[in-house]
Amino acid sequence: VVFIVILSDLIGAITSFTDGICASRLVNDAASAALAVVSPLVTFVKMVVCIIQIGTQILTSKKLAQGDIDGAKKVFATSIAISVISGLLLALVIIPMCYQGNILYILGADDKSYKYAIWYVIGISLGLPFYIAYTVLFPIANLVNGKKLSAISIGAVLFINVIGDIISGVIFRYGSGPVVVENGKWAILGIAVSTMLSFLVGLIILSFVFRNKKSCLKFSFKSISLKT
C-alpha cells in the first residue's frame, strides 16, 4: 500500500521534472526560471493532494477490510467529489492570486520570468481537478484488482506528458526579438496543458477499473456523504 502511494506521488514528480527539462532545453532560461518560481505553489498543491489521498486510502482500506461495502462506496464517491471541488477551488484561488497579486514576485520572479510563470500557472491550475482525482484514485484502483489498468495509466500519463512537452517546445521555439517571448508563453502554456491532459487520459483509463461489473466500488451521487 505504501509503495502504491509513493508510486502515484512519483508520477507527479516525474511530470514536473519533464516540464522543467523541456522548458530549459526547448524554450529558454527565463522559462526554466519561471518553473522554478512556480515550484512552491506546485509543492503546496501536492501537500493538499497527499492529505486527500492518504485519508481516502486509509478509510477505503478499513471499510473493505470490515466488509462494509456501502461504507467503502461512500468514501469512494466522496473522495471523487472532494478531489474535483478541491481542484476547482485551488484554481479559483491560485490564478487570481498570481495574476493580480504579487505572489510570483514574492517567490522570486522578475519581469521576464513572470511572463512565463503566469501562463504555466494558468495551464496547470485549469487541470487540477484531473490531477487530484487521478492521484487520489490510483491507489484505490489497485485495491480492487485494477493493477493492469493502473500500469497502463502510468504509461499513458508519462508518454502523453513527454510527447506533449516536446511538441509544445518545438512548435513555439523559433523566432527572434519579441516573438521569442510571445512564442515562449505559448510553449509554456502548451507544456502545462500537456501535463494536465496526460492526467485526464490517465483518469479516463482508471475509470474503467470502477466501471467493471466485478468492481465493488462504483460512483454514485447518492453515495456522497461526509459521514463515513
Side-chain angles (χ1 to χ4, degrees), residues 10-194:
L10 185 61
I11 298 170
I14 293 174
T15 56
S16 296
F17 177 76
T18 304
D19 289 357
I21 292 295
C22 289
S24 175
R25 305 301 298 178
L26 299 179
V27 188
N28 54 42
D29 291 340
S32 179
L35 266 65
V37 167
V38 174
S39 62
L41 293 176
V42 175
T43 301
F44 172 75
V45 170
K46 288 181 178 179
M47 288 173 58
V48 174
V49 175
C50 187
I51 293 171
I52 301 173
Q53 180 192 54
I54 293 176
T56 301
Q57 178 76 9
I58 292 174
L59 289 175
T60 304
S61 300
K62 180 180 179 181
K63 296 295 183 181
L64 290 176
Q66 294 174 343
D68 185 2
I69 303 300
D70 289 337
K73 288 180 178 179
K74 288 182 179 181
V75 174
F76 175 70
T78 304
S79 67
I80 294 177
I82 291 176
S83 297
V84 174
I85 293 172
S86 297
L88 292 174
L89 289 177
L90 284 170
L92 290 174
V93 171
I94 291 175
I95 292 178
M97 186 172 63
C98 292
Y99 193 77
Q100 297 179 348
N102 296 320
I103 185 66
L104 292 178
Y105 287 109
I106 294 174
L107 293 175
D110 55 21
D111 290 339
K112 184 179 291 186
S113 61
Y114 174 86
K115 296 177 182 178
Y116 297 100
I118 188 62
W119 284 103
Y120 186 76
V121 167
I122 291 173
I124 290 294
S125 296
L126 293 177
L128 283 178
F130 309 136
Y131 166 68
I132 296 176
Y134 176 82
T135 307
V136 170
L137 292 184
F138 182 84
I140 306 302
N142 284 270
L143 283 177
V144 290
N145 298 319
K147 294 181 180 180
K148 183 177 180 179
L149 283 177
S150 295
I152 294 174
S153 74
I154 292 177
V157 168
L158 298 180
F159 178 78
I160 293 173
N161 179 62
V162 171
I163 296 301
D165 285 359
I166 293 174
I167 291 174
S168 298
V170 169
I171 288 178
F172 297 106
R173 181 178 184 180
Y174 302 101
S176 60
V179 177
V180 172
V181 176
E182 191 63 31
N183 283 359
K185 291 191 296 185
W186 286 109
I188 284 296
L189 178 61
I191 288 173
V193 170
S194 68

